[in-house]
Amino acid sequence: MRSMLAATLMFVTATGAHAQMSTPAIPGTTPKTVQTVPIRPALQTPSETADAMGQAERLSLQSDLAWVGQYNGAITGDVSERMVNAIKEYQKAKGGKPTGVLNPQERAALADTARKKQESVGWKITLEPTSGARLGIPGKLVPQQSTDANGSKWTSPTGTVQVILSRRKEAGPTTAKLAEQEKKEAGRKVDYTVVKPDFFVLSGLQGLKKFYVRGAFKGDEVRIMTILYDQATENTVEPVVIAMSSAFAAFPAGPQAGPPPRKTVEYGTGIVVTDDGVIVTDRAVTDGCLALTIAGFGSADRIAEDRDRDIALLHIYGARGLKPLSLAGGATKTNVDIVGIADPQNQGGGSAVSSVKGAVASVSGGDSALSPAPAVGFSGSPAIDDSGKFAGIALLKPVIVAGPAAPTVQAVMVSADAVRDFLKANNVTANGSATDAKAAVVRVICVRK
């Protein structure tokens, strides 16, 4: 009763207030029409969207934009107009609307392109042996290395690209003094200079080559990275130079950036595809193994690999009771179930098979992006579509960030067609009929030094 009374009073009060606020009509006059404009909430700016990202994601985004040649700033993870403009330029280059905010498909395509560019130059993070300085090295561009007491040098076979890490002792150094000394190097014409208290950067021409110098000091120890490259290689090398600059740590502290070293014992998931013991799995999980084992069945041999797709074939001999998965008929779908065996550390030492949901985003010219990334141990797992058919293989891949952030992990899905082509190229006839993916997966164990 009270609630009904309260509601009635509220209605009467509102009605009375409306009546008091209304202007009574005057006979013989026409009310004036007042045009109103709806007030819309302010849209979030691209910078505000970037601010809402995690630091690791912003670092990864800047790194990827640098690798595709759209971003030429320091990779710090800080939001800037330069970063937003780089996103817009990337969107325009891809024929999209330059909003300054990447949608999931655009972000996946960017990550895939950057990863391929990193792989094309053989990008790796390494420690210079005499000083411990950390550098990002494009191993395919500069495969030859020499080292002496003063540092190390990496060069291309013809000398068109050179990377030099030099070290020396100097009394009372400052970055300003060091920059002036480097400017006087024979044949140098400097067109860009940055001098900060803790580092300096120079770039320009040195003879017929372009050069880039970044240096720092600690106490009386001076360490300088110099990059020299022919002007004809500019389009290939300059995005790499940006990544190298951000990766360079003359006196590193904390964890190393880039992909982490492979574990001494690493776990993955494999898919049984034939009744005589052929298994398809993640190639990276099975690299460099002193012992390769399939839990519950014993030792395995790696019999083939596809470096472009990062998948491999294993073979176990004399195994019985295998239930190979049917690979027929599947195709890429928007949503999949990923069926795998998580790392023992993630399940209290257990070996249970489990499944997680994933969303698939198509990426032109490469594997599909998969999100969210499943847990460690799932790499090599089958992805099953909503009709229960094999859609592809899920692989975990570390994101190689050029700056000092700890690496994050992304996931991709190798399509069912690519897997079937790989088997066919290696004369493997998949004869599985099982539709229960949980019965067809096995734990892959790699033991390294």
Side-chain angles (χ1 to χ4, degrees):
M1 186 71 182
R2 284 186 179 180
S3 61
M4 291 179 62
L5 178 61
T8 304
L9 287 172
M10 289 174 63
F11 176 77
V12 171
T13 304
T15 305
H18 178 73
Q20 291 173 13
M21 292 171 63
S22 301
T23 304
I26 301 174
T29 64
T30 302
K32 184 182 293 186
T33 302
V34 178
Q35 187 172 1
T36 60
V37 179
I39 300 174
R40 294 184 176 89
L43 297 176
Q44 192 175 52
T45 66
S47 294
E48 289 169 339
T49 302
D51 271 327
M53 297 178 182
Q55 175 78 353
E57 173 57 20
R58 290 198 300 269
L59 281 161
S60 178
L61 176 58
Q62 287 178 341
S63 175
D64 288 349
L65 288 166
W67 276 103
V68 301
Q70 296 293 358
Y71 180 76
N72 60 0
I75 299 172
T76 61
D78 296 332
V79 178
S80 65
E81 184 179 354
R82 177 177 289 182
M83 185 180 88
V84 173
N85 288 338
I87 294 171
K88 291 179 178 178
E89 289 302 315
Y90 171 77
Q91 290 173 318
K92 286 195 289 185
K94 293 297 180 181
K97 185 178 179 180
T99 63
V101 178
L102 297 175
N103 63 39
Q105 290 75 24
E106 290 173 326
R107 183 66 185 94
L110 172 62
D112 186 67
T113 303
R115 176 176 62 83
K116 288 179 178 177
K117 287 184 177 291
Q118 292 163 356
E119 291 174 351
S120 71
V121 299
W123 178 255
K124 61 182 179 180
I125 302 294
T126 188
L127 298 180
E128 197 278 321
T130 69
S131 64
R134 187 179 70 224
L135 300 91
I137 296 293
K140 291 181 181 178
L141 298 183
V142 286
Q144 299 175 354
Q145 180 182 351
S146 59
T147 300
D148 60 25
N150 299 315
S152 295
K153 183 177 182 179
W154 294 262
T155 62
S156 61
T158 58
T160 54
V161 184
Q162 303 172 31
V163 180
I164 303 155
L165 189 285
S166 60
R167 58 190 296 247
R168 66 176 185 266
K169 298 290 185 180
E170 185 169 320
T174 66
T175 50
K177 288 180 183 178
L178 295 174
E180 288 303 314
Q181 291 171 8
E182 291 296 319
K183 286 180 181 180
K184 296 175 183 177
E185 187 76 21
R188 277 187 181 165
K189 295 181 179 179
V190 178
D191 58 23
Y192 178 78
T193 304
V194 172
V195 178
K196 300 287 186 181
D198 53 344
F199 73 93
F200 71 92
V201 170
L202 305 174
S203 68
L205 283 175
Q206 184 169 328
L208 298 177
K209 290 183 181 293
K210 299 194 79 171
F211 81 90
Y212 179 94
V213 171
R214 183 174 180 125
F217 71 93
K218 187 174 184 179
D220 62 355
E221 172 91 354
V222 176
R223 297 177 184 175
I224 296 174
M225 177 183 68
T226 303
I227 306 168
L228 297 165
Y229 54 100
D230 285 6
Q231 296 178 62
T233 66
E234 181 176 342
N235 289 339
T236 300
V237 177
E238 285 204 343
V240 185
V241 170
I242 296 170
M244 293 178 70
S245 175
S246 291
F248 179 55
F251 301 91
Q256 167 178 327
R262 286 290 173 182
K263 297 177 180 178
T264 304
V265 180
E266 186 168 6
Y267 297 87
T269 298
I271 309 165
V272 178
V273 295
T274 70
D275 54 15
D276 66 346
V278 175
I279 297 165
V280 63
T281 189
D282 180 358
R283 181 191 66 82
V285 168
T286 62
D287 260 354
C289 307
L290 286 178
L292 190 56
T293 304
I294 304 301
F297 294 98
S299 297
D301 292 334
R302 191 165 84 169
I303 58 175
E305 65 176 2
D306 182 338
R307 287 189 170 271
D308 291 332
R309 295 292 190 181
D310 260 346
I311 52 179
L313 286 179
L314 311 180
H315 196 187
I316 50 176
Y317 300 92
R320 296 181 180 180
L322 297 173
K323 296 181 180 179
L325 183 67
S326 171
L327 305 185
T332 301
K333 298 292 181 70
T334 304
N335 296 294
V336 293
D337 289 311
I338 307 160
V339 181
I341 308 172
D343 187 291
Q345 291 185 352
N346 291 349
Q347 51 172 317
S351 57
V353 179
S354 58
S355 66
V356 294
K357 300 287 185 182
V360 179
S362 297
V363 178
S364 60
D367 301 328
S368 298
L370 192 61
S371 62
V376 174
F378 270 77
S379 204
S381 297
I384 307 300
D385 67 19
D386 52 13
S387 63
K389 295 182 178 180
F390 176 70
I393 292 181
L395 302 179
L396 296 177
K397 291 180 177 290
V399 177
I400 307 174
V401 178
T408 56
V409 173
Q410 66 182 11
V412 300
M413 187 183 78
V414 180
S415 70
D417 285 339
V419 175
R420 289 190 285 262
D421 289 345
F422 175 51
L423 296 176
K424 184 177 179 180
N426 288 281
N427 301 312
V428 174
T429 302
N431 57 11
S433 58
T435 56
D436 181 6
K438 289 187 176 182
V441 297
V442 291
R443 170 174 276 170
V444 178
I445 307 170
C446 172
V447 179
R448 302 185 178 94
K449 290 182 179 179

mmCIF file of all heavy atoms in Angstrom, residues 9-52:
data_model
loop_
_atom_site.group_PDB
_atom_site.id
_atom_site.type_symbol
_atom_site.label_atom_id
_atom_site.label_comp_id
_atom_site.label_asym_id
_atom_site.label_seq_id
_atom_site.Cartn_x
_atom_site.Cartn_y
_atom_site.Cartn_z
ATOM 1 N N LEU A 9 2.096 9.560 -5.427
ATOM 2 C CA LEU A 9 2.595 10.887 -5.072
ATOM 3 C C LEU A 9 3.659 11.356 -6.052
ATOM 4 O O LEU A 9 3.700 12.529 -6.423
ATOM 5 C CB LEU A 9 3.133 10.878 -3.644
ATOM 6 C CG LEU A 9 2.068 10.802 -2.537
ATOM 7 C CD1 LEU A 9 2.739 10.601 -1.178
ATOM 8 C CD2 LEU A 9 1.206 12.057 -2.517
ATOM 9 N N MET A 10 4.546 10.426 -6.452
ATOM 10 C CA MET A 10 5.589 10.778 -7.404
ATOM 11 C C MET A 10 4.977 11.216 -8.721
ATOM 12 O O MET A 10 5.401 12.189 -9.348
ATOM 13 C CB MET A 10 6.538 9.592 -7.627
ATOM 14 C CG MET A 10 7.433 9.303 -6.441
ATOM 15 S SD MET A 10 8.405 7.812 -6.694
ATOM 16 C CE MET A 10 9.389 8.294 -8.088
ATOM 17 N N PHE A 11 3.936 10.493 -9.167
ATOM 18 C CA PHE A 11 3.277 10.828 -10.417
ATOM 19 C C PHE A 11 2.603 12.189 -10.333
ATOM 20 O O PHE A 11 2.726 13.026 -11.232
ATOM 21 C CB PHE A 11 2.252 9.740 -10.774
ATOM 22 C CG PHE A 11 1.446 10.062 -12.012
ATOM 23 C CD1 PHE A 11 1.989 9.921 -13.267
ATOM 24 C CD2 PHE A 11 0.137 10.547 -11.888
ATOM 25 C CE1 PHE A 11 1.247 10.226 -14.390
ATOM 26 C CE2 PHE A 11 -0.595 10.847 -13.008
ATOM 27 C CZ PHE A 11 -0.042 10.701 -14.281
ATOM 28 N N VAL A 12 1.908 12.413 -9.222
ATOM 29 C CA VAL A 12 1.207 13.690 -9.047
ATOM 30 C C VAL A 12 2.203 14.836 -8.990
ATOM 31 O O VAL A 12 2.009 15.894 -9.590
ATOM 32 C CB VAL A 12 0.330 13.646 -7.775
ATOM 33 C CG1 VAL A 12 -0.231 15.029 -7.451
ATOM 34 C CG2 VAL A 12 -0.805 12.651 -7.948
ATOM 35 N N THR A 13 3.262 14.644 -8.248
ATOM 36 C CA THR A 13 4.282 15.687 -8.133
ATOM 37 C C THR A 13 4.868 16.011 -9.482
ATOM 38 O O THR A 13 5.046 17.177 -9.849
ATOM 39 C CB THR A 13 5.400 15.237 -7.173
ATOM 40 O OG1 THR A 13 4.811 14.909 -5.932
ATOM 41 C CG2 THR A 13 6.433 16.320 -6.999
ATOM 42 N N ALA A 14 5.196 14.961 -10.261
ATOM 43 C CA ALA A 14 5.770 15.180 -11.591
ATOM 44 C C ALA A 14 4.791 15.905 -12.476
ATOM 45 O O ALA A 14 5.144 16.825 -13.221
ATOM 46 C CB ALA A 14 6.172 13.841 -12.212
ATOM 47 N N THR A 15 3.485 15.503 -12.384
ATOM 48 C CA THR A 15 2.466 16.132 -13.226
ATOM 49 C C THR A 15 2.293 17.585 -12.851
ATOM 50 O O THR A 15 2.192 18.474 -13.700
ATOM 51 C CB THR A 15 1.132 15.382 -13.085
ATOM 52 O OG1 THR A 15 1.350 14.012 -13.373
ATOM 53 C CG2 THR A 15 0.077 15.936 -14.030
ATOM 54 N N GLY A 16 2.273 17.839 -11.512
ATOM 55 C CA GLY A 16 2.130 19.211 -11.049
ATOM 56 C C GLY A 16 3.290 20.075 -11.475
ATOM 57 O O GLY A 16 3.121 21.223 -11.884
ATOM 58 N N ALA A 17 4.463 19.509 -11.376
ATOM 59 C CA ALA A 17 5.650 20.275 -11.771
ATOM 60 C C ALA A 17 5.600 20.605 -13.247
ATOM 61 O O ALA A 17 5.928 21.708 -13.680
ATOM 62 C CB ALA A 17 6.914 19.470 -11.450
ATOM 63 N N HIS A 18 5.142 19.641 -14.045
ATOM 64 C CA HIS A 18 5.041 19.863 -15.489
ATOM 65 C C HIS A 18 4.042 20.974 -15.775
ATOM 66 O O HIS A 18 4.262 21.838 -16.620
ATOM 67 C CB HIS A 18 4.628 18.564 -16.183
ATOM 68 C CG HIS A 18 4.453 18.743 -17.662
ATOM 69 N ND1 HIS A 18 5.513 18.902 -18.525
ATOM 70 C CD2 HIS A 18 3.321 18.795 -18.419
ATOM 71 C CE1 HIS A 18 5.067 19.051 -19.764
ATOM 72 N NE2 HIS A 18 3.722 18.986 -19.725
ATOM 73 N N ALA A 19 2.925 20.921 -15.011
ATOM 74 C CA ALA A 19 1.897 21.939 -15.225
ATOM 75 C C ALA A 19 2.417 23.315 -14.858
ATOM 76 O O ALA A 19 2.146 24.300 -15.544
ATOM 77 C CB ALA A 19 0.648 21.597 -14.393
ATOM 78 N N GLN A 20 3.195 23.419 -13.773
ATOM 79 C CA GLN A 20 3.717 24.702 -13.346
ATOM 80 C C GLN A 20 4.758 25.236 -14.322
ATOM 81 O O GLN A 20 4.878 26.430 -14.530
ATOM 82 C CB GLN A 20 4.345 24.568 -11.956
ATOM 83 C CG GLN A 20 3.313 24.324 -10.870
ATOM 84 C CD GLN A 20 3.972 24.031 -9.544
ATOM 85 O OE1 GLN A 20 5.164 24.251 -9.393
ATOM 86 N NE2 GLN A 20 3.191 23.555 -8.587
ATOM 87 N N MET A 21 5.494 24.308 -14.939
ATOM 88 C CA MET A 21 6.561 24.729 -15.843
ATOM 89 C C MET A 21 6.030 25.081 -17.223
ATOM 90 O O MET A 21 6.685 25.756 -18.001
ATOM 91 C CB MET A 21 7.604 23.613 -15.966
ATOM 92 C CG MET A 21 8.390 23.380 -14.682
ATOM 93 S SD MET A 21 9.409 21.922 -14.790
ATOM 94 C CE MET A 21 10.497 22.392 -16.119
ATOM 95 N N SER A 22 4.800 24.617 -17.573
ATOM 96 C CA SER A 22 4.252 24.868 -18.900
ATOM 97 C C SER A 22 3.691 26.279 -18.958
ATOM 98 O O SER A 22 3.019 26.747 -18.031
ATOM 99 C CB SER A 22 3.150 23.853 -19.218
ATOM 100 O OG SER A 22 3.681 22.542 -19.155
ATOM 101 N N THR A 23 3.937 26.957 -20.053
ATOM 102 C CA THR A 23 3.409 28.313 -20.246
ATOM 103 C C THR A 23 2.026 28.212 -20.837
ATOM 104 O O THR A 23 1.831 27.531 -21.852
ATOM 105 C CB THR A 23 4.313 29.109 -21.208
ATOM 106 O OG1 THR A 23 5.627 29.097 -20.690
ATOM 107 C CG2 THR A 23 3.812 30.535 -21.385
ATOM 108 N N PRO A 24 1.016 28.804 -20.212
ATOM 109 C CA PRO A 24 -0.345 28.700 -20.735
ATOM 110 C C PRO A 24 -0.465 29.358 -22.093
ATOM 111 O O PRO A 24 0.166 30.385 -22.364
ATOM 112 C CB PRO A 24 -1.187 29.420 -19.676
ATOM 113 C CG PRO A 24 -0.233 30.317 -18.970
ATOM 114 C CD PRO A 24 1.075 29.651 -18.996
ATOM 115 N N ALA A 25 -1.255 28.735 -22.957
ATOM 116 C CA ALA A 25 -1.434 29.272 -24.305
ATOM 117 C C ALA A 25 -2.252 30.548 -24.259
ATOM 118 O O ALA A 25 -3.214 30.668 -23.484
ATOM 119 C CB ALA A 25 -2.129 28.242 -25.175
ATOM 120 N N ILE A 26 -1.916 31.552 -25.045
ATOM 121 C CA ILE A 26 -2.651 32.812 -25.144
ATOM 122 C C ILE A 26 -3.505 32.759 -26.389
ATOM 123 O O ILE A 26 -2.993 32.481 -27.485
ATOM 124 C CB ILE A 26 -1.686 34.015 -25.220
ATOM 125 C CG1 ILE A 26 -0.798 34.040 -23.969
ATOM 126 C CG2 ILE A 26 -2.434 35.330 -25.393
ATOM 127 C CD1 ILE A 26 0.274 35.088 -24.025
ATOM 128 N N PRO A 27 -4.772 32.944 -26.248
ATOM 129 C CA PRO A 27 -5.661 32.865 -27.412
ATOM 130 C C PRO A 27 -5.227 33.811 -28.521
ATOM 131 O O PRO A 27 -4.810 34.939 -28.270
ATOM 132 C CB PRO A 27 -7.033 33.259 -26.829
ATOM 133 C CG PRO A 27 -6.931 33.016 -25.367
ATOM 134 C CD PRO A 27 -5.529 33.275 -25.004
ATOM 135 N N GLY A 28 -5.255 33.296 -29.764
ATOM 136 C CA GLY A 28 -4.940 34.112 -30.932
ATOM 137 C C GLY A 28 -3.467 34.188 -31.247
ATOM 138 O O GLY A 28 -3.049 34.932 -32.123
ATOM 139 N N THR A 29 -2.656 33.490 -30.512
ATOM 140 C CA THR A 29 -1.205 33.484 -30.801
ATOM 141 C C THR A 29 -0.770 32.106 -31.221
ATOM 142 O O THR A 29 -1.379 31.115 -30.860
ATOM 143 C CB THR A 29 -0.391 33.920 -29.566
ATOM 144 O OG1 THR A 29 -0.596 32.955 -28.536
ATOM 145 C CG2 THR A 29 -0.820 35.299 -29.091
ATOM 146 N N THR A 30 0.284 32.073 -32.000
ATOM 147 C CA THR A 30 0.854 30.804 -32.466
ATOM 148 C C THR A 30 2.140 30.523 -31.687
ATOM 149 O O THR A 30 3.041 31.388 -31.657
ATOM 150 C CB THR A 30 1.184 30.864 -33.960
ATOM 151 O OG1 THR A 30 -0.024 31.182 -34.658
ATOM 152 C CG2 THR A 30 1.733 29.539 -34.439
ATOM 153 N N PRO A 31 2.211 29.382 -31.027
ATOM 154 C CA PRO A 31 3.445 29.081 -30.258
ATOM 155 C C PRO A 31 4.663 29.072 -31.185
ATOM 156 O O PRO A 31 4.596 28.582 -32.321
ATOM 157 C CB PRO A 31 3.184 27.683 -29.685
ATOM 158 C CG PRO A 31 1.710 27.510 -29.757
ATOM 159 C CD PRO A 31 1.236 28.289 -30.925
ATOM 160 N N LYS A 32 5.763 29.629 -30.703
ATOM 161 C CA LYS A 32 7.005 29.657 -31.492
ATOM 162 C C LYS A 32 7.707 28.292 -31.406
ATOM 163 O O LYS A 32 7.843 27.731 -30.325
ATOM 164 C CB LYS A 32 7.942 30.728 -30.953
ATOM 165 C CG LYS A 32 9.218 30.888 -31.783
ATOM 166 C CD LYS A 32 10.151 31.929 -31.187
ATOM 167 C CE LYS A 32 9.522 33.319 -31.288
ATOM 168 N NZ LYS A 32 10.488 34.373 -30.832
ATOM 169 N N THR A 33 8.121 27.793 -32.557
ATOM 170 C CA THR A 33 8.828 26.504 -32.602
ATOM 171 C C THR A 33 10.278 26.705 -32.201
ATOM 172 O O THR A 33 10.976 27.581 -32.749
ATOM 173 C CB THR A 33 8.765 25.890 -34.014
ATOM 174 O OG1 THR A 33 7.384 25.736 -34.367
ATOM 175 C CG2 THR A 33 9.461 24.545 -34.050
ATOM 176 N N VAL A 34 10.719 25.923 -31.249
ATOM 177 C CA VAL A 34 12.115 26.001 -30.795
ATOM 178 C C VAL A 34 12.844 24.740 -31.243
ATOM 179 O O VAL A 34 12.429 23.629 -30.918
ATOM 180 C CB VAL A 34 12.199 26.136 -29.259
ATOM 181 C CG1 VAL A 34 13.653 26.170 -28.815
ATOM 182 C CG2 VAL A 34 11.458 27.372 -28.804
ATOM 183 N N GLN A 35 13.889 24.935 -32.029
ATOM 184 C CA GLN A 35 14.648 23.783 -32.521
ATOM 185 C C GLN A 35 15.650 23.340 -31.462
ATOM 186 O O GLN A 35 16.404 24.161 -30.926
ATOM 187 C CB GLN A 35 15.383 24.145 -33.813
ATOM 188 C CG GLN A 35 16.042 22.939 -34.466
ATOM 189 C CD GLN A 35 16.578 23.298 -35.834
ATOM 190 O OE1 GLN A 35 16.474 24.433 -36.275
ATOM 191 N NE2 GLN A 35 17.162 22.328 -36.518
ATOM 192 N N THR A 36 15.647 22.046 -31.150
ATOM 193 C CA THR A 36 16.562 21.520 -30.144
ATOM 194 C C THR A 36 17.628 20.675 -30.810
ATOM 195 O O THR A 36 17.406 20.069 -31.853
ATOM 196 C CB THR A 36 15.815 20.650 -29.120
ATOM 197 O OG1 THR A 36 15.194 19.565 -29.790
ATOM 198 C CG2 THR A 36 14.768 21.470 -28.384
ATOM 199 N N VAL A 37 18.793 20.663 -30.221
ATOM 200 C CA VAL A 37 19.928 19.869 -30.724
ATOM 201 C C VAL A 37 20.268 18.813 -29.686
ATOM 202 O O VAL A 37 20.558 19.154 -28.529
ATOM 203 C CB VAL A 37 21.160 20.758 -30.983
ATOM 204 C CG1 VAL A 37 22.323 19.912 -31.470
ATOM 205 C CG2 VAL A 37 20.810 21.846 -31.985
ATOM 206 N N PRO A 38 20.202 17.537 -30.058
ATOM 207 C CA PRO A 38 20.525 16.490 -29.077
ATOM 208 C C PRO A 38 21.986 16.554 -28.661
ATOM 209 O O PRO A 38 22.867 16.841 -29.476
ATOM 210 C CB PRO A 38 20.224 15.192 -29.839
ATOM 211 C CG PRO A 38 20.337 15.557 -31.284
ATOM 212 C CD PRO A 38 19.876 16.974 -31.386
ATOM 213 N N ILE A 39 22.221 16.318 -27.390
ATOM 214 C CA ILE A 39 23.589 16.327 -26.860
ATOM 215 C C ILE A 39 24.113 14.899 -26.842
ATOM 216 O O ILE A 39 23.538 14.023 -26.196
ATOM 217 C CB ILE A 39 23.624 16.929 -25.446
ATOM 218 C CG1 ILE A 39 23.097 18.370 -25.489
ATOM 219 C CG2 ILE A 39 25.027 16.868 -24.873
ATOM 220 C CD1 ILE A 39 22.965 19.006 -24.120
ATOM 221 N N ARG A 40 25.151 14.677 -27.597
ATOM 222 C CA ARG A 40 25.738 13.340 -27.672
ATOM 223 C C ARG A 40 26.971 13.274 -26.775
ATOM 224 O O ARG A 40 27.716 14.243 -26.672
ATOM 225 C CB ARG A 40 26.142 12.996 -29.107
ATOM 226 C CG ARG A 40 24.951 12.883 -30.049
ATOM 227 C CD ARG A 40 25.419 12.432 -31.428
ATOM 228 N NE ARG A 40 24.302 12.217 -32.332
ATOM 229 C CZ ARG A 40 23.775 13.154 -33.112
ATOM 230 N NH1 ARG A 40 24.274 14.395 -33.062
ATOM 231 N NH2 ARG A 40 22.777 12.878 -33.909
ATOM 232 N N PRO A 41 27.212 12.130 -26.155
ATOM 233 C CA PRO A 41 28.417 12.002 -25.331
ATOM 234 C C PRO A 41 29.667 12.089 -26.195
ATOM 235 O O PRO A 41 29.680 11.649 -27.345
ATOM 236 C CB PRO A 41 28.264 10.592 -24.726
ATOM 237 C CG PRO A 41 27.323 9.879 -25.630
ATOM 238 C CD PRO A 41 26.403 10.904 -26.169
ATOM 239 N N ALA A 42 30.705 12.691 -25.658
ATOM 240 C CA ALA A 42 31.946 12.847 -26.401
ATOM 241 C C ALA A 42 32.553 11.482 -26.715
ATOM 242 O O ALA A 42 32.563 10.590 -25.869
ATOM 243 C CB ALA A 42 32.934 13.682 -25.587
ATOM 244 N N LEU A 43 33.034 11.345 -27.957
ATOM 245 C CA LEU A 43 33.673 10.091 -28.359
ATOM 246 C C LEU A 43 35.088 10.031 -27.799
ATOM 247 O O LEU A 43 35.759 11.056 -27.642
ATOM 248 C CB LEU A 43 33.704 9.993 -29.884
ATOM 249 C CG LEU A 43 32.346 9.936 -30.588
ATOM 250 C CD1 LEU A 43 32.536 9.940 -32.101
ATOM 251 C CD2 LEU A 43 31.579 8.694 -30.154
ATOM 252 N N GLN A 44 35.542 8.830 -27.536
ATOM 253 C CA GLN A 44 36.901 8.657 -27.028
ATOM 254 C C GLN A 44 37.891 8.904 -28.159
ATOM 255 O O GLN A 44 37.729 8.416 -29.277
ATOM 256 C CB GLN A 44 37.066 7.229 -26.501
ATOM 257 C CG GLN A 44 38.332 7.022 -25.695
ATOM 258 C CD GLN A 44 38.384 5.639 -25.092
ATOM 259 O OE1 GLN A 44 38.220 4.651 -25.780
ATOM 260 N NE2 GLN A 44 38.587 5.563 -23.795
ATOM 261 N N THR A 45 38.919 9.689 -27.893
ATOM 262 C CA THR A 45 39.915 9.985 -28.917
ATOM 263 C C THR A 45 40.849 8.787 -29.095
ATOM 264 O O THR A 45 40.954 7.934 -28.211
ATOM 265 C CB THR A 45 40.751 11.206 -28.521
ATOM 266 O OG1 THR A 45 41.532 10.872 -27.354
ATOM 267 C CG2 THR A 45 39.872 12.406 -28.216
ATOM 268 N N PRO A 46 41.563 8.722 -30.245
ATOM 269 C CA PRO A 46 42.530 7.633 -30.438
ATOM 270 C C PRO A 46 43.583 7.578 -29.330
ATOM 271 O O PRO A 46 43.974 6.502 -28.888
ATOM 272 C CB PRO A 46 43.160 7.967 -31.791
ATOM 273 C CG PRO A 46 42.099 8.715 -32.525
ATOM 274 C CD PRO A 46 41.398 9.525 -31.471
ATOM 275 N N SER A 47 44.019 8.763 -28.861
ATOM 276 C CA SER A 47 45.020 8.783 -27.785
ATOM 277 C C SER A 47 44.461 8.197 -26.496
ATOM 278 O O SER A 47 45.153 7.462 -25.774
ATOM 279 C CB SER A 47 45.514 10.213 -27.535
ATOM 280 O OG SER A 47 46.232 10.699 -28.645
ATOM 281 N N GLU A 48 43.188 8.493 -26.202
ATOM 282 C CA GLU A 48 42.565 7.949 -25.002
ATOM 283 C C GLU A 48 42.397 6.435 -25.117
ATOM 284 O O GLU A 48 42.561 5.704 -24.137
ATOM 285 C CB GLU A 48 41.213 8.621 -24.773
ATOM 286 C CG GLU A 48 41.321 10.076 -24.328
ATOM 287 C CD GLU A 48 39.985 10.799 -24.351
ATOM 288 O OE1 GLU A 48 39.073 10.334 -25.074
ATOM 289 O OE2 GLU A 48 39.868 11.830 -23.662
ATOM 290 N N THR A 49 42.086 5.974 -26.326
ATOM 291 C CA THR A 49 41.987 4.519 -26.549
ATOM 292 C C THR A 49 43.334 3.854 -26.318
ATOM 293 O O THR A 49 43.419 2.802 -25.679
ATOM 294 C CB THR A 49 41.493 4.235 -27.979
ATOM 295 O OG1 THR A 49 40.225 4.855 -28.174
ATOM 296 C CG2 THR A 49 41.358 2.741 -28.215
ATOM 297 N N ALA A 50 44.396 4.474 -26.832
ATOM 298 C CA ALA A 50 45.739 3.914 -26.634
ATOM 299 C C ALA A 50 46.140 3.945 -25.168
ATOM 300 O O ALA A 50 46.784 3.018 -24.667
ATOM 301 C CB ALA A 50 46.745 4.677 -27.479
ATOM 302 N N ASP A 51 45.752 5.024 -24.460
ATOM 303 C CA ASP A 51 46.058 5.123 -23.029
ATOM 304 C C ASP A 51 45.434 3.986 -22.232
ATOM 305 O O ASP A 51 45.965 3.556 -21.207
ATOM 306 C CB ASP A 51 45.558 6.461 -22.470
ATOM 307 C CG ASP A 51 46.602 7.557 -22.578
ATOM 308 O OD1 ASP A 51 47.805 7.244 -22.464
ATOM 309 O OD2 ASP A 51 46.218 8.710 -22.797
ATOM 310 N N ALA A 52 44.283 3.511 -22.712
ATOM 311 C CA ALA A 52 43.577 2.443 -21.997
ATOM 312 C C ALA A 52 44.215 1.074 -22.208
ATOM 313 O O ALA A 52 43.888 0.127 -21.502
ATOM 314 C CB ALA A 52 42.116 2.401 -22.445
#
